[in-house]
Amino acid sequence: MKTYHFHIEGQVQGVGFRPFVHRLANKYGLCGRVSNDNDGVHIWVNEEDPKSQEDGFKVLDFIMEIQDAPPKNSIISEVNIAREDHPPFEGFQIQKKNGSEIPRLLLTPDLGLCKNCKSEINGPENRRNNYPFITCTNCGPRYSIIDSLPYDRERTSMSAYKMCQDCGSEYEEVTDRRFYSQTNSCKNCGIQLKLLDQNGETPYQVEELDQAGLIDFTVNALKEGKIVSIKGIGGFLLLADATNRDSVKSLRERKKRPSKPFALLYPDIDSLAQDAYFSKQEMVSLESVQAPIVLLKRKQKSGTGVQTELVAPGLSRLGCFLPYSGLLEMISNSFGGPLIATSGNFSGSPIYIDDQEAIKGLGEIADYFLCHDLEIKVPQDDSVVCHSYWTGTKVFLRRSRGFAPNLILGNPFPDGLLSMGAMMKSCFGITNQGNTYISQYLGDTDNFDVQKSYEKVLCHLSKLLEFNPRKIIVDLHPDYFSTRLGEELSRKYGVPLVAQQHHEAHFASVLGENNLLGSKDPILGVVWDGSGFGHDGHIWGGEFFKYHNGRIGRVGNVSPYDVLAGDRMSIEPKLPAFSLLSSTHEGADHLRDAFPPTEYDFLTKSIQKEDGLKTTSMGRLFDAVAWVLGFKKNQSYEGEAALFVQELAERAYASMGGPFVEFNLDEPNPKSLLELIFIEMKAGVDREILAAKFHLNLVRWIRHQATRHGCSSIAFSGGVFQNTLLVDLIIMELQKEFELAFHNKLSPNDECIPLGQIILESLRERPGVSFKNNSELNT
């Protein structure tokens, strides 16, 4: 009998696609089967009567409805249709298969708690009331628990749990929301909680408690000011009462985190609204299935009593999120107010996923540990996003749980590429079977534990995809861990190793995200960050590139200045200030008091050497401006000084609105700009106005470079463009003159480097290749 075979590719496993197809086939009265395989979802449907127009329309309507209204968390990238000879089917079946192909599909990320499960967990009459691991086909862990493909229960951490009779009935019932839900479980057959103390022992108070009792104990401990570490979807979190001053101070002291802001978990949107303002776009992000942390403008006075100055010292934004799992929903609801919920690690270390390792590593921080027995395969921090105030532009600050590892772009890249990323904000990229994958944020690889975590996640994803690289791409910097590991893997697999320049990778990444690789017109690339190894052996960070005819060329940069004291320069803002200001008489006098006499003399001699290491870093310029405007301490976390400058400028706009008289510096000369700021500061000009004028002059530099190089389009990348005020000013000042492109799927920070490395190598491998542009893709 003639049978239609539909092969559907994309993010189609772990999203309820097979049950959806089954229900749809029943609706149209079709016979056949559906199955997962390593290359997506396969559907076979009998053509009952080839001469019957009605039967033909049934099949057509069936596949059209699949494409037009698929499961809400699915992403269809391709549909292939064939007609085959096949014996007639009886009814419509879901068939389980072992993977027969090399994996060619998108991996479904972890999905935040859906509204139906949220209602059930809080419903007194529901059998899953107060079951902390409630899931269905629309929500729950996916990527964090999968062990091999295709996605089925026996190939995930859920294989350890046999469904009870009730769960089994739901699993087999076509009309049930948990029909063929691979994570289905309940109190009787599912995941179990346990509560341990700092020594890994069960406290006598909880020995007889059930799961709900353990959560009550946890909530009471939090209300008493205790710090509790809980095992979430992607790893351990540290929770504390955000309204308890002593508790917040204790967490800062124990975690050795003096000023970096903490994230806040709110039970619902109404309680969050007592402490922060949010736009429609921000609410969409908060309530999305990805459930990221969203940076929101805090209210002058907290309605919940959250200790805002301790939670986010000196900042006008709070990082807020809503419960994305049953466990967080139960704890948050029962607590009834905001909780600090920060990654379960020490600064610079990876998030813990193993119970015993967490107790060993966090025993000095947490008073109790609320663990569970579901194995987490890979660590994932919470993702973090921010929307700019005026234009609502979404900026990723960290891309992890809920988004990784898929990256869906308009153009495919050559298979077999492994890109190793950078050192800070590390992640890696893989091209395999026509798909591109960028791993979750993994941390800063100058930390040994992060290095081990990086290797583990790379091994896991490679195993899932049955991936062996044919070429490995590293950063030009020879001393990055990612570079050294790339060299080691190159020898192991016997494949070529290619090095790509850091900032060129930044630029290539934003071009790729915006489908601009096929552009016929030249595009200016503005890449501003802290540091990257340049072709000339110096430290780049304030670069202008031009993309034309598939080639990237450096066409300008901010004026170089001296690197002083090595890595200390990124921690002590007075050092870039010295490098930029000490050549002026007034600047030298002002700086003298900031250094011991011997260090001052040493730095003065260092700056007089013409053959010293130079930098064009925009990140260090922000640090120097911060120091001149009053930030006189060392940075305790990356970007702290730059945030200080952004906050000052935002206050100027909030109180005075602008416009402000600009400095009128067209050439990108950091020394000249900082000297003007310093002179006006000494003359008594308000520092908030000076911060605003600084931002405006950066926009002026960009306009001048675009005009000079004849570019009507500009693309932006680098950590500096996490500054949402700068993004807004660029859009408002330049959008009438230029086409503007920002990152929209990855962070502008170094998390975008793996994609850029892949693109640069693709351009090198296939010179003259025709990439589709946005208009062609939309057509």
Side-chain angles (χ1 to χ4, degrees):
M1 175 176 281
K2 289 295 182 185
T3 298
Y4 286 99
H5 176 196
F6 302 106
H7 174 205
I8 301 178
E9 298 182 57
Q11 185 174 295
V12 291
Q13 297 189 12
V15 292
F17 211 99
R18 288 175 297 176
F20 160 75
V21 169
H22 191 288
R23 284 190 284 268
L24 207 58
N26 287 347
K27 171 184 171 180
Y28 286 102
L30 298 172
C31 295
R33 71 168 186 247
V34 59
S35 66
N36 279 348
D37 208 332
N38 279 351
D39 55 354
V41 169
H42 290 264
I43 306 165
W44 288 267
V45 176
N46 284 151
E47 184 181 30
E48 292 288 338
D49 183 356
K51 297 178 182 178
S52 166
Q53 192 176 35
E54 182 183 347
D55 276 353
F57 283 145
K58 275 184 184 180
V59 176
L60 178 63
D61 290 344
F62 169 72
I63 191 61
M64 289 299 291
E65 188 165 344
I66 287 174
Q67 293 180 86
D68 292 344
K72 66 178 183 177
N73 295 318
S74 67
I75 300 169
I76 295 176
S77 59
E78 192 170 333
V79 178
N80 296 295
I81 305 173
R83 288 182 75 195
E84 304 172 353
D85 288 318
H86 198 284
F89 292 101
E90 292 185 12
F92 197 91
Q93 312 262 322
I94 292 178
Q95 180 186 45
K96 286 197 174 185
K97 288 187 70 177
N98 292 319
S100 59
E101 305 286 340
I102 294 175
R104 179 191 172 91
L105 77 167
L106 299 174
L107 301 173
T108 302
D110 296 329
L111 305 171
L113 188 68
C114 72
K115 289 182 179 179
N116 288 326
C117 284
K118 183 174 181 178
S119 174
E120 289 174 352
I121 199 174
N122 293 309
E125 304 303 317
N126 192 280
R127 77 183 192 91
R128 287 189 177 82
N129 172 240
N130 289 336
Y131 176 55
F133 304 101
I134 188 170
T135 67
C136 68
T137 54
N138 297 321
C139 68
R142 300 292 193 270
Y143 176 54
S144 64
I145 62 169
I146 192 163
D147 196 48
S148 63
L149 295 169
Y151 175 76
D152 273 309
R153 188 182 185 101
E154 60 267 25
R155 288 182 282 272
T156 73
S157 299
M158 290 300 298
S159 63
Y161 308 90
K162 184 179 179 182
M163 282 184 280
C164 65
Q165 185 174 348
D166 288 337
C167 286
S169 297
E170 293 168 336
Y171 185 84
E172 299 292 341
E173 174 52 53
V174 176
T175 61
D176 198 283
R177 198 174 82 257
R178 294 185 174 86
F179 176 50
Y180 242 71
S181 171
Q182 303 304 312
T183 55
N184 197 26
S185 66
C186 71
K187 298 175 188 177
N188 298 323
C189 63
I191 303 154
Q192 297 299 309
L193 287 172
K194 59 182 176 182
L195 190 132
L196 305 171
D197 62 19
Q198 294 166 312
N199 299 313
E201 303 292 334
T202 303
Y204 71 90
Q205 304 99 308
V206 305
E207 287 177 353
E208 304 299 323
L209 296 180
D210 60 10
Q211 304 225 72
L214 292 177
I215 289 176
D216 288 340
F217 182 91
T218 298
V219 170
N220 288 331
L222 290 165
K223 288 180 176 179
E224 292 169 2
K226 304 293 186 185
I227 296 166
V228 181
S229 183
I230 72 155
K231 188 177 182 181
I233 286 180
F236 279 83
L237 296 172
L238 289 163
L239 303 188
D241 181 358
T243 68
N244 184 324
R245 187 174 183 82
D246 291 337
S247 185
V248 181
K249 286 177 69 176
S250 177
L251 180 57
R252 285 212 172 277
E253 290 165 3
R254 295 186 196 182
K255 205 168 190 262
K256 298 178 175 61
R257 185 167 167 162
S259 53
K260 188 175 182 179
F262 288 128
L264 293 171
L265 170 65
Y266 284 85
D268 51 52
I269 203 80
D270 292 331
S271 60
L272 191 157
Q274 296 182 55
D275 292 339
Y277 302 100
F278 48 85
S279 65
K280 286 183 179 178
Q281 296 115 308
E282 288 165 336
M283 188 165 76
V284 167
S285 287
L286 284 164
E287 295 182 334
S288 69
V289 69
Q290 294 86 7
I293 297 167
V294 184
L295 267 60
L296 304 172
K297 277 283 186 184
R298 67 177 174 89
K299 293 186 173 179
Q300 196 79 21
K301 186 177 180 182
S302 166
T304 65
V306 65
Q307 299 291 316
T308 50
E309 281 305 321
L310 280 174
V311 170
L315 300 177
S316 60
R317 289 178 179 81
L318 298 173
C320 307
F321 68 107
L322 300 173
Y324 53 78
S325 70
L327 180 58
L328 289 178
E329 171 74 11
M330 288 179 65
I331 291 172
S332 188
N333 261 354
S334 181
F335 186 80
L339 286 163
I340 287 175
T342 188
S343 299
N345 60 0
F346 279 99
S347 182
S349 299
I351 188 171
Y352 288 102
I353 60 173
D354 176 79
D355 295 0
Q356 293 307 312
E357 287 181 4
I359 291 167
K360 182 180 177 181
L362 302 175
E364 296 178 3
I365 302 177
D367 297 296
Y368 295 108
F369 292 83
L370 187 62
C371 308
H372 59 71
D373 56 11
L374 178 68
E375 182 185 2
I376 299 173
K377 299 293 183 179
V378 287
Q380 292 185 95
D381 286 273
D382 293 322
S383 296
V384 185
V385 302
C386 185
H387 293 260
S388 66
Y389 183 72
W390 288 312
T391 66
T393 303
K394 183 177 177 179
V395 178
F396 277 90
L397 305 182
R398 184 168 70 204
R399 176 183 172 275
S400 192
R401 179 193 49 76
F403 296 98
N406 300 326
L407 188 66
I408 301 166
L409 301 169
N411 288 290
F413 302 110
D415 285 343
L417 301 180
L418 170 60
S419 57
M420 304 300 290
M423 182 182 77
M424 307 285 283
K425 308 287 187 286
S426 69
C427 52
F428 59 85
I430 285 173
T431 60
N432 192 57
Q433 298 292 304
N435 292 314
T436 301
Y437 307 89
I438 304 294
S439 78
Q440 66 269 38
Y441 160 86
L442 296 169
D444 299 340
T445 53
D446 54 353
N447 179 288
F448 178 76
D449 291 333
V450 173
Q451 295 173 11
K452 296 293 113 184
S453 179
Y454 181 111
E455 293 181 79
K456 177 179 179 179
V457 175
L458 174 56
C459 180
H460 179 74
L461 187 55
S462 297
K463 175 192 164 193
L464 281 180
L465 300 174
E466 298 179 27
F467 172 77
N468 289 310
R470 65 171 179 83
K471 186 176 290 183
I472 296 171
I473 316 160
V474 297
D475 192 274
L476 199 60
H477 198 299
D479 294 329
Y480 283 175
F481 162 77
S482 57
T483 302
R484 297 196 306 270
L485 179 60
E487 292 169 347
E488 180 184 319
L489 293 174
S490 171
R491 291 189 294 270
K492 174 182 174 182
Y493 289 103
V495 298
L497 182 79
V498 178
Q500 300 286 3
Q501 202 279 324
H502 185 92
H503 300 93
E504 292 173 1
H506 264 294
F507 184 28
S509 178
V510 71
L511 290 173
E513 275 190 58
N514 289 277
N515 297 313
L516 293 172
L517 294 166
S519 173
K520 305 293 190 292
D521 300 317
I523 302 170
L524 183 75
V526 183
V527 182
W528 290 352
D529 65 1
S531 68
F533 195 68
H535 288 299
D536 58 6
H538 292 284
I539 306 302
W540 293 5
E543 311 309 310
F544 298 98
F545 297 97
K546 191 174 184 176
Y547 178 76
H548 196 208
N549 294 328
R551 295 178 180 275
I552 290 175
R554 189 188 192 206
V555 295
N557 52 269
V558 306
S559 300
Y561 53 98
D562 289 280
V563 174
L564 298 174
D567 291 342
R568 280 178 54 200
M569 196 169 176
S570 63
I571 298 170
E572 302 177 35
K574 65 183 180 181
L575 287 168
F578 189 100
S579 181
L580 291 165
L581 271 183
S582 62
S583 59
T584 67
H585 179 70
E586 282 192 344
D589 285 345
H590 186 72
L591 285 157
R592 194 177 296 275
D593 292 338
F595 297 91
T598 53
E599 185 176 10
Y600 183 89
D601 292 341
F602 174 79
L603 292 173
T604 301
K605 290 175 182 175
S606 299
I607 232 167
Q608 291 168 353
K609 296 178 180 177
E610 294 186 4
D611 59 349
L613 187 64
K614 306 293 182 184
T615 185
T616 58
S617 171
M618 285 296 293
R620 300 295 77 77
L621 174 58
F622 267 86
D623 296 347
V625 171
W627 190 84
V628 169
L629 297 182
F631 189 92
K632 303 298 187 185
K633 61 178 185 175
N634 292 346
Q635 298 191 80
S636 67
Y637 61 92
E638 186 192 8
E640 185 178 9
L643 270 173
F644 174 82
V645 178
Q646 180 182 340
E647 289 279 344
L648 289 178
E650 287 176 340
R651 279 183 234 157
Y653 278 102
S655 59
M656 289 166 262
F660 303 103
V661 178
E662 296 183 43
F663 290 118
N664 294 330
L665 282 176
D666 287 333
E667 295 301 327
N669 189 319
K671 285 189 178 183
S672 299
L673 183 53
L674 191 63
E675 284 169 13
L676 285 176
I677 293 171
F678 176 71
I679 289 167
E680 292 199 11
M681 182 76 175
K682 295 286 284 184
V685 178
D686 189 281
R687 64 180 186 165
E688 294 173 355
I689 292 175
L690 290 173
K693 290 173 67 173
F694 167 66
H695 280 77
L696 281 170
N697 209 93
L698 300 186
V699 180
R700 189 183 186 95
W701 285 357
I702 294 165
R703 177 190 280 114
H704 185 68
Q705 291 293 316
T707 304
R708 170 182 285 176
H709 297 291
C711 296
S712 59
S713 299
I714 313 172
F716 303 86
S717 189
V720 166
F721 296 106
Q722 293 178 128
N723 181 327
T724 50
L725 172 63
L726 181 58
V727 169
D728 267 347
L729 290 173
I730 288 168
I731 293 171
M732 292 187 296
E733 294 286 324
L734 301 183
Q735 66 179 348
K736 291 181 180 178
E737 303 170 60
F738 305 95
E739 292 290 327
L740 307 174
F742 296 90
H743 287 278
N744 52 71
K745 294 181 174 69
L746 300 173
S747 174
N749 67 33
D750 283 1
E751 290 177 38
C752 75
I753 292 292
L755 174 62
Q757 292 171 335
I758 287 168
I759 292 171
L760 288 174
E761 187 53 26
S762 300
L763 291 169
R764 196 188 70 81
E765 279 193 358
R766 305 187 300 185
V769 68
S770 177
F771 286 101
K772 292 181 180 179
N773 58 31
N774 268 325
S775 60
E776 291 170 322
L777 286 165
N778 291 335
T779 302

